[in-house]
Amino acid sequence: MFSVAHRPRHPMHSTEKIIRKCVAVIGAGPAGLMAAEMLSRHGVRVDVYDAMPSAGRKFLMAGKGGMNITHAEPYADFLTRYGARREQIEPLLNTFTPTDLREWVHGFGIETFVGSSGRVFPAGMKAAPLLRAWLHRLREGDVHFHMRHRWCGWNEDGSLRFETAQDEHPVNADALVLALGGGSWPQLGSDAAWVALLAQRGVDIAALHPANCGFDIAWSTYFRERFVGEPLKSIVATFGEVRKQGECIITSNGIEGGLIYALSAALRDEIERSGSATLYLDLLPDWTAQRVHDEVHHPRGSRSLSSHLQSRLGLKGVKANLLREVLGAQNFANPALLAAAIKALPLKLIAPRPLIEAISSSGGIKFEALDGHLMLRDLPGVFCAGEMLDWEAPTGGYLLSACFASGYAAGTGALKWLHKP
Ligand SMILES: Cc1cc2nc3c(=O)[nH]c(=O)nc-3n(C[C@H](O)[C@H](O)[C@H](O)COP(=O)(O)OP(=O)(O)OC[C@H]3O[C@@H](n4cnc5c(N)ncnc54)[C@H](O)[C@@H]3O)c2cc1C
């Protein structure tokens, strides 16, 4: 499908053009760059194309609030984070483990450290120094970057179609790695336009859905206006069998934050099934239900209920108002219902926030459409990696770990393909 002889646009030495193999990698995120590294290390010329003006924009954004590159928990626990796709992701991670990933970062002279939660961060917690060093090394290793090149599918002759601001032109290569990302934060480049391009070629793709996302709740105008942006700290959220401690934030539409992201896949699926999902919040997880009951029922004399809650239970501000918002005035004044709600406040979530706002996406190219080297069964020579595959994982470094590992696997697969007789 791809032939070196037809690569018209790359300024290379003519002898090299004939002898050396070349691979086009589309998508300069962590998955695509890892595939490019793998290939260039083995002497393959790599051309990386990306629609954006610069590489790794989502990777850099991931580094803004503290780049969480992987997780240091025991590997057996680590693997469980990929849920239903563990079977497909595990072989990828086995060839580029979280430990390999840390060592790879150390190879740039950047140390990593383990935070109190077990999350692994590069020193300084930023992505920019790592990306800078990585791009430098790739350029030195015969990786050629073509930014502002939007891939638009294939021409009839099988060449790749790219649009730039100036023109549209065809590119041929010996193999292709697609690492086009999921559908969240499209302003950073991954706009999921590839879904239609690959579906046209018969590739089986699971619909993209928001993952690690916030949810809509029908707040009253009063609550929304007063408490938007307020954090709910040191709470426990329970959905089904899963209990998580952490914090989240009241948004104008509902709720979001790390605690919610951790439960978001199950909540999203429940909303899909039954139209809504009820999340239970324990606002005082360190207190027993009995102690909360006793304090709520303690005689309050002429004091208002609000000052009673504040003085006996330390509940005030957003927590106290959330109780009133959810229970309504009548139930809020009922001590038995109030005490129960403090330990298990039911929040009705009515919709996940849109995909474009989510941290990541679920869905993508189904693993059944790929062989063991991440090559599309119906498009020989085309390998796929990263978030565009059909898997999801919570935040905590699991996303990047699988993106790197799948990029490594796709690069290895392309390398094997090049060496096929
Ligand atoms: C705010 C935020 C914080 C995050 N924090 C973390 C974190 O701390 N830890 C963690 O593990 N994960 C985190 N993630 C998730 C992580 O960044 C992504 O999972 C990861 O970047 C996906 O890598 P990828 O290479 O598959 O795709 P991307 O990084 O999305 O790269 C895809 C590339 O393909 C290009 N592209 C797409 N379509 C085309 C086209 N048609 N033509 C040419 N180029 C195209 C895009 O421009 C983009 O550069 C975070 C995400 C967000 C949004």
Side-chain angles (χ1 to χ4, degrees):
M1 168 176 237
F2 306 103
S3 104
V4 174
H6 291 112
R7 295 177 67 252
R9 289 215 164 228
H10 300 133
M12 288 184 68
H13 306 299
S14 54
T15 49
E16 218 177 5
K17 234 187 202 176
I18 296 159
I19 300 162
R20 293 192 58 199
K21 298 281 186 178
C22 63
V23 174
V25 172
I26 313 180
L33 294 179
M34 185 51 83
E37 165 150 338
M38 181 64 203
L39 287 155
S40 76
R41 240 194 255 160
H42 289 84
V44 177
R45 175 189 161 114
V46 183
D47 288 279
V48 175
Y49 298 87
D50 199 292
M52 299 300 279
S54 59
R57 294 209 162 187
K58 195 175 273 186
F59 187 61
L60 287 174
M61 178 55 74
K64 270 213 165 147
M67 153 135 304
N68 182 198
I69 200 147
T70 187
H71 203 287
E73 69 188 341
Y75 191 48
D77 296 337
F78 188 99
L79 292 171
T80 64
R81 311 300 169 188
Y82 298 93
R85 292 291 171 275
R86 174 192 169 147
E87 196 187 323
Q88 289 81 13
I89 297 293
E90 183 173 345
L92 308 177
L93 287 167
N94 286 345
T95 53
F96 196 70
T97 64
T99 308
D100 295 333
L101 177 50
R102 288 184 72 179
E103 280 167 10
W104 175 80
V105 175
H106 300 160
F108 291 101
I110 296 171
E111 285 308 309
T112 56
F113 70 94
V114 182
S116 53
S117 60
R119 293 172 180 226
V120 177
F121 301 90
M125 297 177 86
K126 297 288 170 222
L130 176 57
L131 182 63
R132 233 184 347 259
W134 193 12
L135 292 175
H136 178 72
R137 186 162 89 187
L138 289 171
R139 285 195 182 98
E140 299 227 304
D142 204 15
V143 176
H144 303 258
F145 286 86
H146 309 269
M147 306 313 293
R148 296 191 165 93
H149 276 63
R150 168 164 290 280
W151 177 58
C152 303
W154 287 270
N155 292 304
E156 280 186 3
D157 64 0
S159 59
L160 300 165
R161 242 183 88 204
F162 284 98
E163 266 177 23
T164 66
Q166 289 77 38
D167 59 7
E168 186 183 310
H169 58 261
V171 165
N172 286 282
D174 295 299
L176 169 64
V177 176
L178 295 175
L180 300 163
S184 76
W185 288 57
Q187 66 274 31
L188 301 176
S190 46
D191 59 6
W194 59 264
V195 172
L197 300 177
L198 291 185
Q200 274 163 23
R201 306 284 300 222
V203 176
D204 203 1
I205 300 164
L208 301 188
H209 289 291
N212 296 301
C213 57
F215 289 87
D216 288 344
I217 296 174
W219 297 134
S220 67
T221 309
Y222 169 81
F223 185 77
R224 176 185 297 121
E225 287 176 356
R226 286 282 309 269
F227 296 102
V228 62
E230 290 276 340
L232 284 168
K233 293 192 176 178
S234 307
I235 59 170
V236 164
T238 303
F239 182 67
E241 300 293 297
V242 187
R243 258 173 78 80
K244 294 270 177 198
Q245 180 138 21
E247 64 180 73
C248 57
I249 287 183
I250 303 295
T251 65
S252 59
N253 305 297
I255 200 160
E256 69 170 42
L259 179 61
I260 303 302
Y261 299 159
L263 296 163
S264 62
L267 291 166
R268 177 202 62 212
D269 292 349
E270 176 62 18
I271 293 172
E272 169 100 28
R273 264 192 306 272
S274 40
S276 68
T278 304
L279 179 69
Y280 290 90
L281 300 186
D282 183 345
L283 300 178
L284 291 175
D286 297 335
W287 292 43
T288 62
Q290 187 61 52
R291 184 172 167 208
V292 168
H293 174 273
D294 293 349
E295 293 298 345
V296 170
H297 285 83
H298 193 275
R300 64 182 162 99
S302 60
R303 267 189 318 196
S304 72
L305 187 49
S306 297
S307 52
H308 181 68
L309 281 180
Q310 179 165 356
S311 64
R312 306 280 332 168
L313 295 109
L315 286 174
K316 56 182 178 166
V318 62
K319 282 188 179 174
N321 278 275
L322 183 62
L323 284 163
R324 190 192 294 268
E325 168 78 5
V326 174
L327 290 175
Q330 206 176 344
N331 290 345
F332 183 69
N334 176 324
L337 291 178
L338 179 58
I342 290 169
K343 292 298 288 175
L345 182 66
L347 278 189
K348 186 177 173 194
L349 313 185
I350 51 180
R353 293 301 300 155
L355 175 57
I356 58 166
E357 291 177 21
I359 295 290
S360 59
S361 42
S362 68
I365 298 169
K366 292 190 182 169
F367 280 91
E368 293 75 18
L370 299 159
D371 72 7
H373 296 296
L374 301 184
M375 184 174 83
L376 287 169
R377 292 182 194 280
D378 293 341
L379 296 175
V382 181
F383 297 78
C384 303
E387 216 182 290
M388 70 186 298
L389 306 183
D390 179 20
W391 58 278
E392 66 178 312
T395 56
Y398 308 105
L399 295 165
L400 283 173
S401 295
C403 287
F404 282 117
S406 61
Y408 187 89
T412 310
L415 196 62
K416 287 204 170 115
W417 169 260
L418 295 179
H419 287 114
K420 264 189 159 180

